[in-house]
Amino acid sequence: MDTIFTQVIEDDQAKRGGQLYTTNLRGQVPPLVTTSFTVQDQGNASPRFMRCTTYSFPCSSDLAKQCQVPLATIIKPFATVPKNETPLYVVNHGEAGPIRCNRCKAYMCPFMLFIDGGRRYQCSFCNCVNEVPVQYFQHLDHMGRRVDLYERPELSLGSYEFTATLDYCKNNKPPNPPAYIFMIDVSYNNIKSGLVKLICEELKTLLDRLPKEEGAESSSIKVGFVTYNKILHFYNVKSALAQPQMMVVSDVAEMFVPLLDGFLVNFQESRAVINNLLDQIPDMFADTNESETVFAPVIQAGVEALKAAECSGKLFIFHSSLPTAEAPGKLKNRDDRKLVNTEKEKILFQPQRGVYEQLTKDCVAQGCCVDLFVFPNQYVDMATMGDIPTHTGGSVYKYSNFQVQIDGEHFLTDLRRDVEKSIGFDAIMRVRTSTGFRATDFFGAIYMNNTTDVEMAAVDCDKAVTVEFKHDDALNEEAGALIQCALLYTSISGQRRLRVHNLSLNCSSQLSELYKSCETDALINFFAKSAYHAILNQPVKTVREILVKQTAHMLACYRKHCASPSAASQLILPDAMKVFPVYMNSLMKTPVLVGSAELSTDERNFHRLSVMSTGVEESQILLYPRLIPLVRANSHFAVPAAVRCSEERLSETGVFLLDNGQNLFLWLGQACPPDLIQSLFNVPSLAHLSPDMTSLPELDNAQSKKLRSIICAISQQRPHSMKMVIVKQKDKPEMLFRQHLVEDKGLHGGASYIDFLCYVHREIRQLLT
């Protein structure tokens, strides 16, 4: 009954690793996210852009209800394409713009059927027959395919871009390039900790690395600067000035931007003035004793500035405390842990309403994305402060009890990645489907004004939108199920573009086909997001019960209809879902769902917000961390195979790395050989090791080089920088490490994997009798 989780991962890597995955077959299940493979687009979108919970949809809604396997796809429209894969082609159809179906508005794609000698085409999404525009006409070959099939990305590839025409632009005007505004909280805490100085120093070099179009000399993104405590200071950094000029706005109730010209500038042109400003900021506020801050007016100021400049953009806000100053959006402490495990627990996860709701709308309408870097020493109401970032395509980064020496590098790595990553602005996404089913629910860093348009002030390479589908009619095996995701956005150079991803799935009236085509990593991404969404309206206990019930139901249905007869005492799992119970148990033990008053409310909210927009790779590693034994150096520097994530795998003489995508723990056994400690840390024994170390010293020996190369390889695979925590066996910090050993009993409650399996098995047997 017990499948070794790590074995499943290794088997897939052995079978499909290093191979070419061609996307020409409908309904084929891609390799696991943990497997490294190369994609060749031959008519369906790469799994990097779209991954499904199953690649064979049930033909009817009755079948779907019977098995209760969610039908969903996780879309990462801007996913990073590895260097050895072809970047997306940009198709330009000139004045006429992209070709689309007259009825359902689906874009031209490989699923369209050309008829009548090529003069007309039938839309595969709604079956409407359309005329082919004269300029797009082409003859068909003896197979009924267009002769220019392989010269046109939109007819032969699963993913491509169209250059959008003016009708796709606001007010029929081409957009301006976006702007990045850096907004620094200069209250007492941030000055004292050295954070303000650190940010200012970093920006001098970082602004040279703003994202730019392929082949462009420099970035078109404009930059602006604001500092604030309970009032706001704007800076004029026009290139003609000898000195930057500060303008103060102290009436935070009626936010306005005091200068239009000289606030948003080109960094290359204004470099001297900007560097001058960045040198001055830490000194200007060096003697401050102002500890109160505002927050909503800061975002309002950013929106107003972008509005005045008629562009979209991103606000980088560096903030440290609960905004308690008299101003719109003032927050109060509502951290009441007595609510944990009660009917009212959901209040802890709900943002405070009012000003922030309107602000979210304003941000989305302007294409203003908010990225929040928060440095709290106590409760900051993460649920409310993180709400605008998570509805505008932004990110939240949290550094509790920040110390420059310990956390500085970790924060700077995050900031660098955040500033440099590829991104699109002012985006609107539509998911179209062929007849018989439709998109019903959407989870992600998105905003929805209606039931079909997914709005994102920005969308970057790490953001994923999880979309659930429901039947509204029968599907047929021959036609399959088609999904087209179209994303209209403004590029970093201010070009309006359409990015299109297409995917075709099988349909079957056999439940065994559906189970065979399941993708567990995608399933658990869906369950995590739907559960984290549900806790806003239901008690956490209820949400946990629903998860167990649905797990048992899915597996009981398989047992009843698909498995060969066997003893009732055996737990039978579908091949593709062997590791599903491990993940599910892990999900129940996350800070959000475990329901323990020992965990901070902010930590639980931070975890909830981070997961809501993650892709399949990130949710996979978070729910089943990699535990890597570091054996003595051999000649090759490959990352060793992971072992099961359980305490029984640790050994007193060993050294282990645990990676969950957010933290990197280096665990050292009590009886670790002194010569190994010496070669890794340059100290004679464990006792001499400082617990504050967050990186390894660069030592010139094989052990040190090997470990550093492994850590480097792991870090490059993750979208966030991971803080390294050094853990000595039986030391206090070990508690933090142990809560990530997901196969064991949870520290704050939650069953071990074996106990959970037995529990689910009992539930299944009940359903079957």
Side-chain angles (χ1 to χ4, degrees):
M1 102 177 192
D2 175 30
T3 299
I4 298 188
F5 189 92
T6 46
Q7 196 58 51
V8 172
I9 290 177
E10 272 177 58
D11 290 349
D12 196 71
Q13 176 63 37
K15 202 165 89 194
R16 307 182 76 176
Q19 296 194 355
L20 192 62
Y21 176 76
T22 51
T23 69
N24 52 346
L25 288 178
R26 180 176 92 187
Q28 63 174 337
V29 185
L32 296 179
V33 290
T34 41
T35 297
S36 52
F37 57 99
T38 304
V39 180
Q40 190 177 38
D41 183 342
Q42 291 193 347
N44 278 298
S46 155
R48 304 191 200 290
F49 296 123
M50 291 174 92
R51 254 181 198 268
C52 297
T53 51
T54 174
Y55 285 79
S56 189
F57 275 18
C59 280
S60 68
S61 58
D62 288 348
L63 271 180
K65 279 196 193 85
Q66 197 180 351
C67 67
Q68 286 197 22
V69 172
L71 308 176
T73 178
I74 294 98
I75 306 174
K76 213 185 216 184
F78 267 79
T80 306
V81 176
K83 297 258 185 292
N84 60 347
E85 291 176 19
T86 319
L88 296 197
Y89 287 98
V90 182
V91 178
N92 191 340
H93 283 320
E95 296 289 292
I99 292 164
R100 53 199 304 205
C101 170
N102 291 327
R103 187 194 292 161
C104 72
K105 299 290 184 254
Y107 290 91
M108 183 50 72
C109 69
F111 311 145
M112 302 301 192
L113 186 68
F114 287 88
I115 52 175
D116 201 8
R119 283 187 289 281
R120 299 193 299 163
Y121 69 93
Q122 185 172 18
C123 172
S124 307
F125 293 91
C126 71
N127 299 321
C128 168
V129 173
N130 296 271
E131 298 290 321
V132 171
V134 181
Q135 75 281 4
Y136 198 70
F137 173 78
Q138 184 53 271
H139 295 287
L140 308 183
D141 66 12
H142 63 288
M143 305 273 289
R145 291 181 309 199
R146 282 177 56 124
V147 183
D148 62 353
L149 180 73
Y150 293 111
E151 287 147 43
R152 290 196 178 270
E154 75 277 17
L155 298 180
S156 53
L157 299 176
S159 301
Y160 42 85
E161 292 203 320
F162 289 117
T163 310
T165 50
L166 285 178
D167 2 334
Y168 290 92
C169 304
K170 274 189 190 158
N171 315 328
N172 284 29
K173 274 178 27 195
N176 289 318
Y180 282 4
I181 305 176
F182 297 88
M183 312 181 101
I184 307 171
D185 158 3
V186 289
S187 61
Y188 179 75
N189 267 349
N190 284 356
I191 293 290
K192 191 185 67 163
S193 72
L195 175 68
V196 173
K197 195 170 172 39
L198 185 71
I199 294 170
C200 291
E201 276 306 307
E202 177 61 32
L203 287 178
K204 289 187 214 167
T205 53
L206 183 54
L207 294 179
D208 266 326
R209 308 217 293 267
L210 290 169
K212 52 179 192 263
E213 286 292 349
E214 285 286 312
E217 277 289 290
S218 63
S219 174
S220 324
I221 296 172
K222 295 262 202 301
V223 294
F225 304 87
V226 173
T227 53
Y228 67 95
N229 33 50
K230 61 179 184 188
I231 60 176
L232 279 76
H233 327 100
F234 294 80
Y235 296 93
N236 183 347
V237 284
K238 210 172 162 169
S239 58
L241 296 172
Q243 278 288 339
Q245 292 170 346
M246 179 202 271
M247 312 219 174
V248 177
V249 176
S250 46
D251 179 6
V252 287
E254 289 297 317
M255 204 57 232
F256 69 99
V257 178
L259 74 158
L260 291 181
D261 189 29
F263 177 60
L264 294 177
V265 298
N266 175 305
F267 174 64
Q268 307 296 344
E269 291 165 16
S270 294
R271 179 191 298 267
V273 194
I274 290 174
N275 284 345
N276 200 334
L277 169 68
L278 293 170
D279 282 335
Q280 290 176 27
I281 288 174
D283 299 338
M284 278 194 280
F285 301 98
D287 303 325
T288 187
N289 48 16
E290 182 54 75
S291 58
E292 281 202 311
T293 56
V294 297
F295 183 63
V298 179
I299 297 178
Q300 190 71 55
V303 176
E304 295 302 329
L306 295 176
K307 209 177 270 177
E310 296 184 359
C311 68
S312 50
K314 179 151 142 170
L315 314 180
F316 294 79
I317 304 179
F318 306 93
H319 190 93
S320 68
S321 58
L322 193 70
T324 52
E326 269 319 312
K330 171 184 177 175
L331 297 178
K332 56 182 188 302
N333 189 332
R334 49 187 195 117
D335 183 15
D336 183 359
R337 294 199 206 165
K338 287 196 289 296
L339 301 180
V340 174
N341 285 323
T342 69
E343 290 292 306
K344 292 185 172 165
E345 185 167 6
K346 57 188 179 209
I347 297 171
L348 296 174
F349 295 104
Q350 293 166 349
Q352 297 183 41
R353 298 274 169 233
V355 177
Y356 290 99
E357 272 181 295
Q358 186 53 48
L359 210 41
T360 299
K361 277 193 181 126
D362 296 347
C363 283
V364 174
Q366 192 50 48
C368 170
C369 164
V370 177
D371 271 0
L372 176 62
F373 293 80
V374 46
F375 305 84
N377 293 334
Q378 53 212 44
Y379 174 79
V380 290
D381 194 351
M382 209 69 212
T384 305
M385 293 195 71
D387 196 49
I388 295 185
T390 46
H391 281 98
T392 58
S395 307
V396 180
Y397 299 87
K398 176 167 162 286
Y399 312 89
S400 302
N401 305 314
F402 180 81
Q403 290 173 278
V404 169
Q405 325 66 272
I406 297 177
D407 309 290
E409 206 37 56
H410 171 46
F411 154 63
L412 289 180
T413 308
D414 275 336
L415 176 60
R416 285 170 199 145
R417 283 191 189 179
D418 199 53
V419 167
E420 293 173 37
K421 65 182 165 188
S422 61
I423 187 167
F425 288 93
D426 202 8
I428 187 157
M429 183 171 101
R430 229 351 150 56
V431 177
R432 294 182 173 85
T433 54
S434 49
T435 50
F437 74 116
R438 64 192 168 85
T440 53
D441 283 295
F442 301 86
F443 306 106
I446 56 174
Y447 180 78
M448 295 197 72
N449 215 4
N450 54 37
T451 54
T452 54
D453 294 324
V454 181
E455 296 183 66
M456 294 174 274
V459 53
D460 64 47
C461 54
D462 300 325
K463 298 291 180 294
V465 180
T466 297
V467 184
E468 186 177 14
F469 302 102
K470 293 261 171 30
H471 286 77
D472 48 16
D473 205 349
L475 293 168
N476 106 26
E477 305 201 4
E478 217 168 298
L482 309 178
I483 303 169
Q484 182 179 79
C485 155
L487 178 87
L488 175 65
Y489 73 97
T490 299
S491 76
I492 42 179
S493 62
Q495 248 193 349
R496 204 70 178 140
R497 291 205 195 143
L498 265 156
R499 181 170 279 220
V500 182
H501 297 299
N502 303 285
L503 192 59
S504 60
L505 307 174
N506 285 334
C507 294
S508 176
S509 47
Q510 304 296 316
L511 282 174
S512 56
E513 280 304 306
L514 169 123
Y515 283 103
K516 210 186 281 173
S517 309
C518 275
E519 219 281 278
T520 302
D521 296 334
L523 269 172
I524 203 70
N525 180 284
F526 171 83
F527 277 113
K529 290 180 186 180
S530 58
Y532 287 6
H533 178 71
I535 57 164
L536 294 175
N537 310 306
Q538 291 172 300
V540 172
K541 187 167 168 284
T542 312
V543 174
R544 285 204 304 267
E545 284 163 8
I546 294 170
L547 287 173
V548 175
K549 277 203 170 57
Q550 196 165 354
T551 302
H553 199 109
M554 284 160 56
L555 299 175
C557 174
Y558 174 77
R559 168 95 198 220
K560 188 172 169 185
H561 299 285
C562 312
S564 42
S566 57
S569 60
Q570 259 186 306
L571 177 64
I572 311 279
L573 299 174
D575 267 351
M577 292 172 76
K578 285 244 186 286
V579 294
F580 186 70
V582 184
Y583 276 138
M584 188 49 91
N585 185 38
S586 216
L587 174 58
M588 312 268 266
K589 290 191 283 195
T590 54
V592 183
L593 294 180
V594 78
S596 157
E598 288 171 43
L599 293 166
S600 91
T601 306
D602 275 345
E603 196 42 57
R604 296 178 75 195
N605 273 303
F606 174 67
H607 183 91
R608 181 183 167 272
L609 296 174
S610 330
V611 169
M612 284 314 279
S613 61
T614 54
V616 181
E617 303 80 5
E618 293 81 55
S619 51
Q620 188 279 329
I621 191 78
L622 189 64
L623 292 172
Y624 198 93
R626 279 204 295 184
L627 183 62
I628 300 167
L630 299 166
V631 268
R632 287 297 168 120
N634 43 19
S635 53
H636 65 93
F637 282 89
V639 178
V643 295
R644 296 177 60 175
C645 209
S646 164
E647 186 188 345
E648 59 187 44
R649 287 299 159 137
L650 302 172
S651 69
E652 292 205 335
T653 54
V655 176
F656 288 79
L657 258 185
L658 185 137
D659 153 34
N660 73 344
Q662 294 185 347
N663 291 300
L664 201 52
F665 294 94
L666 183 61
W667 183 92
L668 305 162
Q670 274 176 309
C672 201
D675 62 320
L676 184 61
I677 298 296
Q678 179 71 49
S679 57
L680 293 179
F681 302 101
N682 207 16
V683 295
S685 72
L686 265 186
H688 293 79
L689 198 58
S690 150
D692 287 346
M693 262 174 104
T694 56
S695 63
L696 291 174
E698 291 196 22
L699 304 173
D700 190 11
N701 66 63
Q703 300 288 0
S704 172
K705 283 180 182 162
K706 175 170 182 180
L707 180 52
R708 281 181 294 129
S709 86
I710 289 171
I711 290 172
C712 179
I714 290 173
S715 304
Q716 282 170 349
Q717 296 169 357
R718 308 279 169 247
H720 297 290
S721 113
M722 296 186 287
K723 180 177 170 179
M724 192 160 104
V725 183
I726 291 179
V727 178
K728 302 183 208 175
Q729 186 179 9
K730 304 241 164 45
D731 244 12
K732 204 172 159 228
E734 202 190 18
M735 293 294 276
L736 187 63
F737 164 78
R738 282 181 186 271
Q739 57 193 34
H740 298 292
L741 298 175
V742 293
E743 292 202 20
D744 304 339
K745 204 165 151 31
L747 283 186
H748 303 294
S752 73
Y753 169 49
I754 298 298
D755 291 346
F756 180 71
L757 266 187
C758 297
Y759 178 58
V760 169
H761 191 198
R762 272 203 307 276
E763 294 280 310
I764 292 172
R765 284 169 70 173
Q766 254 178 332
L767 286 169
L768 292 173
T769 48

